[in-house]
Amino acid sequence: RSFYALSADFHPQPDRTLNAGRWMLPVETTLEFVMGQMAIARTGSQPLKALSSAGQQAALKAFKWTKVSMFSAKELKQARLAFIDGHPELAEQPKELARAMKADGLYTDITELHVIVKQIGRLKGLAG
C-alpha cells in the first residue's frame, strides 16, 4: 500500500534548474500530514534535496518551458519594454498591444488582458 503524504512545489529557473522548492503538507488533522512531517524530518526542509538527479530531471522535463519562464524578472521587463518600443503603431491601442504581447509569449496564457493593459501603462511610464 501507499499513502499520499505530501507534495513539493518547485519553480524552474531561467537557467533551466529548479529552485529549492517548498513542501506542501495536507490538512493537519490527517494521517497524511503526520506522514508528511516524518518525510520532511528525514529529507530536510528543501524538497530539492530529497530528489535524485534523475528526479530533478523528471521534474524539469514535466515543466512547460515558455518565453516567460526563460527570462529573469529584469530580462522580462526589458523584453516587454523593447516590444512596446518596437511597435509604435500600437501605442494608442493598449488592448491590441496587450494581445500582441501575450501572443508573442511575453505573458502567460492565463494572464488576463486587463492585467496586461494595466501593466503596460506602468511600463510606458518607466519608458517615458
Side-chain angles (χ1 to χ4, degrees):
R1 290 188 177 246
S2 63
F3 294 93
Y4 163 80
L6 71 162
S7 62
D9 181 39
F10 294 102
H11 291 270
Q13 304 301 296
D15 64 357
R16 291 189 177 244
T17 60
L18 295 172
N19 69 343
R22 68 182 176 98
W23 291 117
M24 300 177 64
L25 288 164
V27 180
E28 289 185 34
T29 58
T30 63
L31 173 63
E32 291 85 0
F33 177 80
V34 175
M35 292 172 65
Q37 286 188 316
M38 290 170 56
I40 291 171
R42 294 186 90 190
T43 61
S45 63
Q46 293 183 345
L48 184 63
K49 293 181 180 178
L51 294 178
S52 65
S53 293
Q56 290 179 27
Q57 290 304 311
L60 286 167
K61 187 177 179 182
F63 184 70
K64 179 184 175 190
W65 292 98
T66 61
K67 188 183 276 192
V68 172
S69 66
M70 299 297 288
F71 287 127
S72 68
K74 185 177 180 179
E75 292 169 333
L76 183 58
K77 185 177 181 180
Q78 290 302 317
R80 289 172 177 166
L81 286 169
F83 189 94
I84 291 169
D85 290 342
H87 293 83
E89 72 281 4
L90 299 175
E92 301 302 319
Q93 303 171 46
K95 282 188 179 181
E96 291 307 314
L97 180 58
R99 282 188 186 94
M101 291 176 80
K102 189 172 180 176
D104 191 55
L106 293 172
Y107 288 90
T108 63
D109 295 344
I110 61 170
T111 307
E112 294 184 26
L113 209 56
H114 72 90
V115 172
I116 300 172
V117 169
K118 190 174 182 179
Q119 194 171 64
I120 288 171
R122 289 193 297 263
L123 286 168
K124 281 183 174 180
L126 293 173

